[in-house]
Short mmCIF file of all heavy atoms in Angstrom, two decimals:
data_model
loop_
_atom_site.label_atom_id
_atom_site.label_comp_id
_atom_site.label_asym_id
_atom_site.label_seq_id
_atom_site.Cartn_x
_atom_site.Cartn_y
_atom_site.Cartn_z
N MET A 1 -21.57 9.22 3.85
CA MET A 1 -21.51 8.36 5.03
C MET A 1 -20.88 7.02 4.67
O MET A 1 -21.05 6.52 3.56
CB MET A 1 -22.92 8.11 5.59
CG MET A 1 -23.60 9.36 6.09
SD MET A 1 -22.86 10.02 7.58
CE MET A 1 -23.66 8.98 8.82
N GLY A 2 -20.13 6.46 5.58
CA GLY A 2 -19.49 5.18 5.31
C GLY A 2 -18.61 4.79 6.47
O GLY A 2 -18.70 5.35 7.56
N ALA A 3 -17.73 3.84 6.22
CA ALA A 3 -16.83 3.36 7.25
C ALA A 3 -15.47 4.02 7.07
O ALA A 3 -14.96 4.14 5.96
CB ALA A 3 -16.70 1.85 7.19
N CYS A 4 -14.89 4.44 8.20
CA CYS A 4 -13.56 5.03 8.17
C CYS A 4 -12.53 3.91 8.13
O CYS A 4 -12.59 2.99 8.93
CB CYS A 4 -13.36 5.90 9.40
SG CYS A 4 -11.67 6.48 9.62
N PHE A 5 -11.59 3.98 7.20
CA PHE A 5 -10.61 2.90 7.07
C PHE A 5 -9.55 2.99 8.15
O PHE A 5 -8.81 2.04 8.41
CB PHE A 5 -9.97 2.91 5.68
CG PHE A 5 -8.77 3.81 5.53
CD1 PHE A 5 -7.49 3.28 5.58
CD2 PHE A 5 -8.92 5.17 5.35
CE1 PHE A 5 -6.38 4.11 5.44
CE2 PHE A 5 -7.83 5.99 5.21
CZ PHE A 5 -6.54 5.47 5.26
N MET A 6 -9.45 4.14 8.82
CA MET A 6 -8.45 4.31 9.88
C MET A 6 -8.94 3.73 11.20
O MET A 6 -8.32 2.85 11.77
CB MET A 6 -8.13 5.79 10.06
CG MET A 6 -7.37 6.41 8.90
SD MET A 6 -5.59 6.16 9.02
CE MET A 6 -5.20 7.33 10.34
N CYS A 7 -10.03 4.24 11.70
CA CYS A 7 -10.50 3.82 13.02
C CYS A 7 -11.58 2.76 12.92
O CYS A 7 -11.91 2.11 13.89
CB CYS A 7 -10.97 5.02 13.84
SG CYS A 7 -12.30 5.96 13.09
N GLN A 8 -12.17 2.59 11.76
CA GLN A 8 -13.17 1.56 11.51
C GLN A 8 -14.30 1.61 12.51
O GLN A 8 -14.72 0.59 13.03
CB GLN A 8 -12.49 0.19 11.49
CG GLN A 8 -11.32 0.20 10.53
CD GLN A 8 -10.72 -1.18 10.31
OE1 GLN A 8 -10.90 -2.07 11.10
NE2 GLN A 8 -10.01 -1.35 9.22
N ARG A 9 -14.75 2.82 12.78
CA ARG A 9 -15.84 2.95 13.74
C ARG A 9 -17.20 2.83 13.06
O ARG A 9 -18.22 3.07 13.67
CB ARG A 9 -15.72 4.28 14.48
CG ARG A 9 -14.87 4.16 15.72
CD ARG A 9 -14.79 5.47 16.46
NE ARG A 9 -13.45 5.63 17.06
CZ ARG A 9 -12.80 6.77 17.08
NH1 ARG A 9 -13.32 7.85 16.55
NH2 ARG A 9 -11.63 6.85 17.63
N GLY A 10 -17.18 2.48 11.80
CA GLY A 10 -18.43 2.19 11.13
C GLY A 10 -19.07 3.38 10.45
O GLY A 10 -18.38 4.24 9.91
N TYR A 11 -20.38 3.43 10.51
CA TYR A 11 -21.14 4.38 9.72
C TYR A 11 -21.02 5.79 10.27
O TYR A 11 -21.49 6.09 11.36
CB TYR A 11 -22.60 3.94 9.69
CG TYR A 11 -23.31 4.33 8.43
CD1 TYR A 11 -22.89 3.80 7.21
CD2 TYR A 11 -24.37 5.21 8.46
CE1 TYR A 11 -23.53 4.15 6.04
CE2 TYR A 11 -25.02 5.57 7.29
CZ TYR A 11 -24.60 5.04 6.09
OH TYR A 11 -25.23 5.39 4.93
N ARG A 12 -20.35 6.65 9.54
CA ARG A 12 -20.18 8.03 9.98
C ARG A 12 -19.87 8.90 8.76
O ARG A 12 -19.72 8.40 7.65
CB ARG A 12 -19.06 8.13 11.00
CG ARG A 12 -17.79 7.44 10.53
CD ARG A 12 -16.64 7.63 11.49
NE ARG A 12 -17.04 7.33 12.84
CZ ARG A 12 -16.52 7.92 13.92
NH1 ARG A 12 -15.58 8.82 13.77
NH2 ARG A 12 -16.91 7.62 15.13
N ALA A 13 -19.78 10.20 8.99
CA ALA A 13 -19.47 11.10 7.89
C ALA A 13 -18.01 10.92 7.51
O ALA A 13 -17.12 11.05 8.34
CB ALA A 13 -19.72 12.54 8.31
N VAL A 14 -17.76 10.57 6.28
CA VAL A 14 -16.38 10.34 5.84
C VAL A 14 -16.12 11.11 4.55
O VAL A 14 -17.03 11.50 3.83
CB VAL A 14 -16.10 8.84 5.59
CG1 VAL A 14 -16.05 8.07 6.90
CG2 VAL A 14 -17.12 8.24 4.65
N VAL A 15 -14.84 11.33 4.30
CA VAL A 15 -14.43 11.97 3.06
C VAL A 15 -13.44 11.05 2.36
O VAL A 15 -12.72 10.29 3.01
CB VAL A 15 -13.77 13.35 3.31
CG1 VAL A 15 -14.79 14.34 3.81
CG2 VAL A 15 -12.61 13.22 4.28
N ALA A 16 -13.43 11.10 1.03
CA ALA A 16 -12.48 10.31 0.27
C ALA A 16 -11.10 10.90 0.46
O ALA A 16 -10.89 12.09 0.25
CB ALA A 16 -12.86 10.29 -1.19
N VAL A 17 -10.14 10.10 0.91
CA VAL A 17 -8.79 10.60 1.14
C VAL A 17 -7.79 10.01 0.18
O VAL A 17 -6.64 10.40 0.15
CB VAL A 17 -8.33 10.32 2.59
CG1 VAL A 17 -9.09 11.18 3.56
CG2 VAL A 17 -8.48 8.85 2.93
N GLY A 18 -8.21 9.05 -0.61
CA GLY A 18 -7.27 8.45 -1.54
C GLY A 18 -7.79 7.12 -2.03
O GLY A 18 -8.98 6.84 -2.00
N GLU A 19 -6.86 6.32 -2.44
CA GLU A 19 -7.25 5.09 -3.09
C GLU A 19 -6.13 4.07 -2.94
O GLU A 19 -4.96 4.40 -3.01
CB GLU A 19 -7.47 5.44 -4.55
CG GLU A 19 -7.94 4.37 -5.43
CD GLU A 19 -8.36 4.95 -6.77
OE1 GLU A 19 -7.48 5.05 -7.62
OE2 GLU A 19 -9.54 5.31 -6.94
N LEU A 20 -6.54 2.85 -2.67
CA LEU A 20 -5.59 1.77 -2.54
C LEU A 20 -5.60 1.01 -3.85
O LEU A 20 -6.63 0.51 -4.26
CB LEU A 20 -6.03 0.86 -1.39
CG LEU A 20 -4.97 -0.02 -0.74
CD1 LEU A 20 -3.98 0.84 0.03
CD2 LEU A 20 -5.66 -0.95 0.24
N ALA A 21 -4.47 0.96 -4.52
CA ALA A 21 -4.43 0.32 -5.83
C ALA A 21 -3.43 -0.82 -5.83
O ALA A 21 -2.37 -0.74 -5.22
CB ALA A 21 -4.06 1.34 -6.89
N ARG A 22 -3.81 -1.88 -6.49
CA ARG A 22 -2.90 -2.99 -6.65
C ARG A 22 -2.94 -3.43 -8.11
O ARG A 22 -4.01 -3.59 -8.69
CB ARG A 22 -3.33 -4.16 -5.75
CG ARG A 22 -2.27 -5.24 -5.67
CD ARG A 22 -2.74 -6.39 -4.81
NE ARG A 22 -3.79 -7.15 -5.48
CZ ARG A 22 -4.33 -8.26 -5.00
NH1 ARG A 22 -3.98 -8.70 -3.83
NH2 ARG A 22 -5.26 -8.90 -5.67
N LEU A 23 -1.78 -3.56 -8.69
CA LEU A 23 -1.73 -3.95 -10.09
C LEU A 23 -2.07 -5.43 -10.24
O LEU A 23 -1.81 -6.23 -9.36
CB LEU A 23 -0.32 -3.70 -10.65
CG LEU A 23 0.13 -2.24 -10.68
CD1 LEU A 23 1.58 -2.15 -11.14
CD2 LEU A 23 -0.76 -1.42 -11.60
N GLY A 24 -2.63 -5.74 -11.38
CA GLY A 24 -2.95 -7.13 -11.65
C GLY A 24 -1.71 -7.93 -11.96
O GLY A 24 -0.65 -7.38 -12.22
N GLY A 25 -1.84 -9.23 -11.89
CA GLY A 25 -0.71 -10.09 -12.17
C GLY A 25 -1.17 -11.53 -12.18
O GLY A 25 -2.35 -11.80 -12.05
N PRO A 26 -0.23 -12.43 -12.32
CA PRO A 26 -0.60 -13.85 -12.34
C PRO A 26 -1.27 -14.25 -11.03
O PRO A 26 -0.71 -14.04 -9.96
CB PRO A 26 0.75 -14.58 -12.49
CG PRO A 26 1.70 -13.54 -12.97
CD PRO A 26 1.21 -12.23 -12.44
N GLY A 27 -2.46 -14.77 -11.10
CA GLY A 27 -3.13 -15.27 -9.91
C GLY A 27 -4.01 -14.25 -9.20
O GLY A 27 -4.77 -14.61 -8.32
N HIS A 28 -3.89 -12.97 -9.55
CA HIS A 28 -4.78 -12.01 -8.91
C HIS A 28 -5.14 -10.89 -9.87
O HIS A 28 -4.39 -10.58 -10.79
CB HIS A 28 -4.17 -11.47 -7.62
CG HIS A 28 -2.84 -10.79 -7.82
ND1 HIS A 28 -1.65 -11.46 -7.70
CD2 HIS A 28 -2.52 -9.52 -8.14
CE1 HIS A 28 -0.66 -10.62 -7.94
NE2 HIS A 28 -1.15 -9.43 -8.21
N GLU A 29 -6.30 -10.32 -9.61
CA GLU A 29 -6.79 -9.25 -10.47
C GLU A 29 -6.36 -7.90 -9.93
O GLU A 29 -6.07 -7.76 -8.75
CB GLU A 29 -8.32 -9.27 -10.52
CG GLU A 29 -8.87 -10.48 -11.27
CD GLU A 29 -10.38 -10.55 -11.12
OE1 GLU A 29 -11.01 -9.49 -11.04
OE2 GLU A 29 -10.90 -11.66 -11.08
N ALA A 30 -6.32 -6.93 -10.82
CA ALA A 30 -6.03 -5.56 -10.39
C ALA A 30 -7.23 -5.05 -9.59
O ALA A 30 -8.37 -5.26 -9.96
CB ALA A 30 -5.78 -4.67 -11.60
N ILE A 31 -6.94 -4.38 -8.47
CA ILE A 31 -8.03 -3.83 -7.67
C ILE A 31 -7.75 -2.38 -7.34
O ILE A 31 -6.59 -1.96 -7.23
CB ILE A 31 -8.24 -4.61 -6.35
CG1 ILE A 31 -6.92 -4.77 -5.60
CG2 ILE A 31 -8.90 -5.95 -6.62
CD1 ILE A 31 -7.10 -5.22 -4.17
N GLU A 32 -8.81 -1.64 -7.18
CA GLU A 32 -8.72 -0.26 -6.73
C GLU A 32 -9.76 -0.06 -5.65
O GLU A 32 -10.94 -0.21 -5.89
CB GLU A 32 -8.96 0.70 -7.89
CG GLU A 32 -7.70 0.98 -8.68
CD GLU A 32 -7.94 2.00 -9.77
OE1 GLU A 32 -8.89 2.79 -9.64
OE2 GLU A 32 -7.19 1.99 -10.75
N ILE A 33 -9.31 0.23 -4.45
CA ILE A 33 -10.23 0.41 -3.34
C ILE A 33 -10.18 1.87 -2.90
O ILE A 33 -9.13 2.35 -2.48
CB ILE A 33 -9.83 -0.49 -2.15
CG1 ILE A 33 -9.77 -1.96 -2.59
CG2 ILE A 33 -10.81 -0.31 -0.99
CD1 ILE A 33 -9.13 -2.86 -1.57
N PRO A 34 -11.29 2.57 -3.01
CA PRO A 34 -11.31 3.95 -2.53
C PRO A 34 -11.23 3.97 -1.01
O PRO A 34 -11.81 3.13 -0.33
CB PRO A 34 -12.66 4.49 -3.01
CG PRO A 34 -13.50 3.29 -3.28
CD PRO A 34 -12.57 2.16 -3.59
N LEU A 35 -10.45 4.91 -0.48
CA LEU A 35 -10.28 5.01 0.96
C LEU A 35 -11.07 6.19 1.49
O LEU A 35 -10.99 7.30 0.97
CB LEU A 35 -8.80 5.17 1.31
CG LEU A 35 -7.87 4.01 0.96
CD1 LEU A 35 -6.44 4.39 1.29
CD2 LEU A 35 -8.27 2.75 1.71
N TYR A 36 -11.83 5.93 2.54
CA TYR A 36 -12.59 7.00 3.17
C TYR A 36 -12.18 7.10 4.63
O TYR A 36 -11.98 6.10 5.30
CB TYR A 36 -14.09 6.69 3.10
CG TYR A 36 -14.62 6.67 1.68
CD1 TYR A 36 -14.73 5.49 0.97
CD2 TYR A 36 -14.99 7.86 1.07
CE1 TYR A 36 -15.21 5.47 -0.33
CE2 TYR A 36 -15.46 7.86 -0.23
CZ TYR A 36 -15.57 6.66 -0.93
OH TYR A 36 -16.03 6.66 -2.21
N ALA A 37 -12.04 8.34 5.09
CA ALA A 37 -11.68 8.55 6.49
C ALA A 37 -12.63 9.56 7.11
O ALA A 37 -13.13 10.47 6.43
CB ALA A 37 -10.24 9.04 6.60
N CYS A 38 -12.88 9.41 8.41
CA CYS A 38 -13.74 10.35 9.12
C CYS A 38 -12.95 11.64 9.37
O CYS A 38 -11.74 11.69 9.16
CB CYS A 38 -14.23 9.74 10.43
SG CYS A 38 -12.95 9.47 11.66
N GLY A 39 -13.63 12.64 9.84
CA GLY A 39 -13.01 13.95 10.04
C GLY A 39 -11.78 13.90 10.91
O GLY A 39 -10.74 14.48 10.59
N ALA A 40 -11.87 13.18 12.03
CA ALA A 40 -10.75 13.09 12.97
C ALA A 40 -9.55 12.45 12.31
O ALA A 40 -8.42 12.93 12.44
CB ALA A 40 -11.17 12.30 14.20
N CYS A 41 -9.78 11.35 11.61
CA CYS A 41 -8.67 10.62 11.00
C CYS A 41 -8.14 11.37 9.79
O CYS A 41 -6.96 11.28 9.47
CB CYS A 41 -9.12 9.22 10.60
SG CYS A 41 -9.47 8.19 12.04
N GLU A 42 -8.99 12.12 9.13
CA GLU A 42 -8.52 12.91 8.00
C GLU A 42 -7.52 13.93 8.50
O GLU A 42 -6.48 14.15 7.89
CB GLU A 42 -9.70 13.60 7.31
CG GLU A 42 -9.33 14.20 5.97
CD GLU A 42 -10.11 15.46 5.65
OE1 GLU A 42 -10.99 15.84 6.43
OE2 GLU A 42 -9.81 16.06 4.62
N GLY A 43 -7.81 14.54 9.64
CA GLY A 43 -6.89 15.49 10.25
C GLY A 43 -5.57 14.83 10.58
O GLY A 43 -4.50 15.40 10.36
N GLN A 44 -5.66 13.61 11.10
CA GLN A 44 -4.47 12.85 11.46
C GLN A 44 -3.65 12.54 10.22
O GLN A 44 -2.43 12.65 10.22
CB GLN A 44 -4.91 11.56 12.13
CG GLN A 44 -4.04 11.16 13.28
CD GLN A 44 -4.54 9.89 13.94
OE1 GLN A 44 -5.69 9.52 13.82
NE2 GLN A 44 -3.67 9.23 14.64
N LEU A 45 -4.34 12.15 9.16
CA LEU A 45 -3.66 11.83 7.90
C LEU A 45 -2.96 13.06 7.35
O LEU A 45 -1.83 12.98 6.88
CB LEU A 45 -4.68 11.33 6.88
CG LEU A 45 -5.04 9.84 6.97
CD1 LEU A 45 -6.21 9.54 6.08
CD2 LEU A 45 -3.85 9.00 6.58
N THR A 46 -3.65 14.20 7.43
CA THR A 46 -3.07 15.44 6.94
C THR A 46 -1.78 15.75 7.68
O THR A 46 -0.79 16.16 7.09
CB THR A 46 -4.07 16.59 7.11
OG1 THR A 46 -5.31 16.20 6.53
CG2 THR A 46 -3.59 17.85 6.43
N LEU A 47 -1.80 15.50 9.00
CA LEU A 47 -0.60 15.73 9.81
C LEU A 47 0.51 14.77 9.39
O LEU A 47 1.67 15.16 9.28
CB LEU A 47 -0.92 15.54 11.30
CG LEU A 47 -1.65 16.68 11.98
CD1 LEU A 47 -1.98 16.29 13.42
CD2 LEU A 47 -0.82 17.95 11.95
N MET A 48 0.15 13.52 9.18
CA MET A 48 1.13 12.51 8.79
C MET A 48 1.77 12.87 7.45
O MET A 48 2.98 12.72 7.27
CB MET A 48 0.45 11.13 8.68
CG MET A 48 0.25 10.45 10.02
SD MET A 48 -0.96 9.11 9.94
CE MET A 48 -0.15 8.02 8.78
N ILE A 49 0.94 13.33 6.54
CA ILE A 49 1.45 13.69 5.22
C ILE A 49 2.37 14.90 5.32
O ILE A 49 3.45 14.93 4.73
CB ILE A 49 0.27 13.96 4.25
CG1 ILE A 49 -0.49 12.65 3.98
CG2 ILE A 49 0.77 14.58 2.95
CD1 ILE A 49 -1.83 12.84 3.31
N ALA A 50 1.96 15.89 6.11
CA ALA A 50 2.78 17.09 6.30
C ALA A 50 4.12 16.70 6.92
O ALA A 50 5.17 17.23 6.55
CB ALA A 50 2.05 18.08 7.20
N ASP A 51 4.07 15.75 7.86
CA ASP A 51 5.26 15.26 8.53
C ASP A 51 6.18 14.56 7.53
O ASP A 51 7.39 14.77 7.52
CB ASP A 51 4.84 14.28 9.62
CG ASP A 51 5.78 14.32 10.81
OD1 ASP A 51 6.17 15.43 11.20
OD2 ASP A 51 6.13 13.25 11.31
N ALA A 52 5.58 13.73 6.70
CA ALA A 52 6.36 12.96 5.72
C ALA A 52 7.01 13.90 4.71
O ALA A 52 8.14 13.68 4.28
CB ALA A 52 5.46 11.96 5.01
N LEU A 53 6.30 14.97 4.34
CA LEU A 53 6.84 15.91 3.37
C LEU A 53 7.97 16.72 3.97
O LEU A 53 8.90 17.11 3.28
CB LEU A 53 5.73 16.86 2.89
CG LEU A 53 4.67 16.21 1.98
CD1 LEU A 53 3.58 17.22 1.66
CD2 LEU A 53 5.30 15.69 0.69
N ARG A 54 7.89 16.95 5.28
CA ARG A 54 8.92 17.74 5.94
C ARG A 54 10.23 16.96 6.01
O ARG A 54 11.30 17.53 5.94
CB ARG A 54 8.45 18.12 7.36
CG ARG A 54 8.76 19.57 7.66
CD ARG A 54 8.32 19.96 9.07
NE ARG A 54 6.91 19.62 9.32
CZ ARG A 54 6.50 18.97 10.40
NH1 ARG A 54 7.35 18.60 11.33
NH2 ARG A 54 5.23 18.70 10.56
N SER A 55 10.15 15.64 6.20
CA SER A 55 11.37 14.83 6.25
C SER A 55 11.21 13.64 5.31
O SER A 55 10.90 12.54 5.73
CB SER A 55 11.61 14.35 7.68
OG SER A 55 10.44 13.78 8.22
N PRO A 56 11.43 13.90 4.03
CA PRO A 56 11.20 12.85 3.02
C PRO A 56 12.21 11.72 3.07
O PRO A 56 11.92 10.62 2.63
CB PRO A 56 11.28 13.60 1.70
CG PRO A 56 12.07 14.83 1.99
CD PRO A 56 11.86 15.15 3.44
N VAL A 57 13.39 11.99 3.60
CA VAL A 57 14.41 10.95 3.63
C VAL A 57 14.41 10.27 4.99
O VAL A 57 14.64 10.90 6.01
CB VAL A 57 15.81 11.53 3.34
CG1 VAL A 57 16.86 10.41 3.37
CG2 VAL A 57 15.82 12.23 1.99
N ARG A 58 14.06 9.01 4.99
CA ARG A 58 14.01 8.27 6.23
C ARG A 58 14.88 7.02 6.12
O ARG A 58 14.89 6.38 5.08
CB ARG A 58 12.58 7.84 6.54
CG ARG A 58 11.67 9.03 6.70
CD ARG A 58 10.65 8.80 7.77
NE ARG A 58 9.98 10.04 8.07
CZ ARG A 58 8.81 10.10 8.68
NH1 ARG A 58 8.19 9.01 9.01
NH2 ARG A 58 8.26 11.26 8.93
N PRO A 59 15.58 6.69 7.18
CA PRO A 59 16.39 5.46 7.14
C PRO A 59 15.50 4.23 7.08
O PRO A 59 14.42 4.22 7.67
CB PRO A 59 17.17 5.52 8.45
CG PRO A 59 16.36 6.38 9.35
CD PRO A 59 15.66 7.37 8.46
N TYR A 60 15.96 3.24 6.39
CA TYR A 60 15.20 2.01 6.28
C TYR A 60 15.29 1.25 7.60
O TYR A 60 16.37 1.03 8.13
CB TYR A 60 15.75 1.16 5.14
CG TYR A 60 15.14 -0.22 5.08
CD1 TYR A 60 13.81 -0.37 4.66
CD2 TYR A 60 15.86 -1.34 5.43
CE1 TYR A 60 13.23 -1.62 4.61
CE2 TYR A 60 15.29 -2.61 5.38
CZ TYR A 60 13.97 -2.74 4.98
OH TYR A 60 13.41 -3.99 4.94
N VAL A 61 14.15 0.91 8.15
CA VAL A 61 14.13 0.16 9.40
C VAL A 61 13.79 -1.29 9.09
O VAL A 61 12.73 -1.60 8.59
CB VAL A 61 13.08 0.74 10.37
CG1 VAL A 61 13.08 -0.04 11.67
CG2 VAL A 61 13.34 2.22 10.61
N PRO A 62 14.74 -2.18 9.37
CA PRO A 62 14.49 -3.60 9.09
C PRO A 62 13.42 -4.19 10.00
O PRO A 62 13.06 -3.61 11.02
CB PRO A 62 15.84 -4.26 9.31
CG PRO A 62 16.62 -3.32 10.15
CD PRO A 62 16.06 -1.95 9.93
N GLU A 63 12.92 -5.34 9.63
CA GLU A 63 11.86 -6.02 10.38
C GLU A 63 12.27 -6.27 11.82
O GLU A 63 11.51 -6.04 12.74
CB GLU A 63 11.54 -7.36 9.71
CG GLU A 63 10.68 -7.23 8.47
CD GLU A 63 9.23 -6.91 8.83
OE1 GLU A 63 8.67 -7.63 9.66
OE2 GLU A 63 8.68 -5.94 8.28
N TRP A 64 13.48 -6.75 12.00
CA TRP A 64 13.95 -7.03 13.34
C TRP A 64 14.73 -5.85 13.87
O TRP A 64 15.41 -5.16 13.13
CB TRP A 64 14.85 -8.27 13.35
CG TRP A 64 16.07 -8.10 12.50
CD1 TRP A 64 16.13 -8.32 11.16
CD2 TRP A 64 17.36 -7.64 12.90
NE1 TRP A 64 17.40 -8.02 10.71
CE2 TRP A 64 18.16 -7.61 11.74
CE3 TRP A 64 17.90 -7.25 14.14
CZ2 TRP A 64 19.51 -7.21 11.80
CZ3 TRP A 64 19.23 -6.84 14.18
CH2 TRP A 64 20.02 -6.83 13.03
N HIS A 65 14.62 -5.57 15.16
CA HIS A 65 15.52 -4.62 15.76
C HIS A 65 15.81 -5.02 17.20
O HIS A 65 14.94 -5.48 17.91
CB HIS A 65 15.04 -3.17 15.65
CG HIS A 65 13.57 -2.99 15.58
ND1 HIS A 65 12.83 -2.40 16.56
CD2 HIS A 65 12.71 -3.32 14.61
CE1 HIS A 65 11.56 -2.39 16.20
NE2 HIS A 65 11.45 -2.95 15.03
N PRO A 66 17.05 -4.83 17.61
CA PRO A 66 17.47 -5.30 18.95
C PRO A 66 16.88 -4.45 20.07
O PRO A 66 17.41 -3.38 20.40
CB PRO A 66 19.00 -5.18 18.91
CG PRO A 66 19.26 -4.14 17.88
CD PRO A 66 18.14 -4.22 16.88
N HIS A 67 15.79 -4.88 20.64
CA HIS A 67 15.19 -4.19 21.77
C HIS A 67 15.37 -5.03 23.02
O HIS A 67 14.89 -6.13 23.06
CB HIS A 67 13.69 -3.96 21.54
CG HIS A 67 13.43 -2.74 20.72
ND1 HIS A 67 13.39 -1.48 21.25
CD2 HIS A 67 13.22 -2.60 19.41
CE1 HIS A 67 13.14 -0.62 20.28
NE2 HIS A 67 13.03 -1.27 19.15
ZN1 LIG B 1 -11.71 7.55 11.61
#
């Protein structure tokens, strides 16, 4: 049980889906944050990952775009 990092709905059944890691450097320490997601979001993540694997090459989208 824990908080889902995707929907942040708080205390619910979650599974570990990965880990957020940041290397240490000047001014900050190295951190590793385990990521937990609820069942619904885990399914969503699985879809996102499958999608990303299907089309690994994506054009770079700059911060600004003319809309
Ligand atoms: Zn969730």
Side-chain angles (χ1 to χ4, degrees):
M1 296 291 278
C4 171
F5 87 100
M6 290 276 286
C7 59
Q8 307 188 340
R9 271 181 216 140
Y11 211 64
R12 50 175 49 211
V14 289
V15 291
V17 290
E19 183 169 89
L20 202 68
R22 191 182 71 175
L23 297 175
H28 59 268
E29 291 172 33
I31 50 166
E32 275 184 23
I33 304 169
L35 296 176
Y36 295 95
C38 67
C41 292
E42 192 212 356
Q44 218 178 339
L45 276 170
T46 308
L47 283 176
M48 280 163 62
I49 293 167
D51 212 43
L53 289 175
R54 224 181 307 132
S55 50
V57 180
R58 298 217 169 160
Y60 173 71
V61 181
E63 282 286 309
W64 60 276
H65 28 113
H67 276 277

